[in-house]
Amino acid sequence: MIIAIGNDHAGVALKNSIKEHLINKGYEVLDLGIQEGEKIDYPLMGEMVGKTVVEKKADLGIAICGTGIGISIGANKVNGVIAACCSEPYSAKLSRQHNNSNVLCFGARVVGDELAKMMVDEWLEAEFLGDRHARRVAIFKEIEERQK
Ligand code: RB5
């Protein structure tokens, strides 16, 4: 499984730590993020991670900024992206099971390394449950279509 990961300047250290964690777990990581000393506006990085997922260059995406909020809003502007900004593992897991999220976002100024790793693990191990959730998730697509 290929995981695209991206970060702005607030998320460099946490991105590096999550990247290492993913590699140790056997995932292939596509690092789109910036490095120490560089800067990027978080909506652009959210867009980059989101596009990489919807274009199927990666199976799922992880995006990190200071709060996780800005980068998740950027990612959610890409048609087909369902980005969830989380700060604890329960929501991260449910965002896969119920919302079929394909991008997980979090804030390096909000969560520490260990909590972030737990969220990532729960999220990657969870599967979309379909059924009643599929009808609701299909409405995301309908909303996108109404904007065209
Ligand atoms: C950057 O300083 C900060 O504003 C950004 O990382 C993020 O928190 C925005 O949502």
Side-chain angles (χ1 to χ4, degrees):
M1 186 187 279
I2 304 174
I3 312 290
I5 193 163
N7 60 282
D8 74 353
H9 39 278
V12 177
L14 186 55
K15 184 278 301 289
N16 287 333
S17 165
I18 296 298
K19 180 179 172 181
E20 190 188 339
H21 180 68
L22 290 169
I23 291 168
N24 289 341
K25 291 211 142 205
Y27 294 99
E28 191 178 327
V29 179
L30 194 56
D31 186 355
L32 308 170
I34 58 165
Q35 302 306 323
E36 206 59 65
E38 298 179 325
K39 274 194 181 252
I40 188 163
D41 293 327
Y42 52 81
L44 298 174
M45 183 55 67
E47 179 187 25
M48 233 185 280
V49 173
K51 276 188 81 178
T52 302
V53 173
V54 297
E55 288 171 0
K56 299 194 185 313
K57 292 174 187 155
D59 299 288
L60 292 168
I62 294 175
I64 306 165
C65 67
T67 58
I69 295 171
I71 209 159
S72 67
I73 296 170
N76 272 317
K77 296 293 178 190
V78 178
N79 285 345
V81 167
I82 302 173
C85 179
C86 298
S87 50
E88 38 70 33
Y90 178 76
S91 302
K93 178 179 176 175
L94 271 282
S95 82
R96 283 286 292 144
Q97 290 185 329
H98 290 193
N99 315 120
N100 203 17
S101 62
N102 51 12
V103 177
L104 175 68
C105 304
F106 43 85
R109 295 172 182 161
V110 179
V111 297
D113 256 46
E114 294 309 313
L115 191 56
K117 285 179 201 163
M118 259 189 220
M119 286 198 291
V120 166
D121 291 348
E122 290 283 348
W123 186 67
L124 288 172
E125 280 157 28
E127 279 177 26
F128 181 49
L129 296 176
D131 196 28
R132 70 182 193 277
H133 306 294
R135 188 184 58 77
R136 291 167 182 152
V137 167
I139 300 172
F140 292 146
K141 207 12 91 221
E142 290 171 22
I143 295 168
E144 284 177 357
E145 292 302 318
R146 285 202 279 276
Q147 307 306 307
K148 289 181 184 166

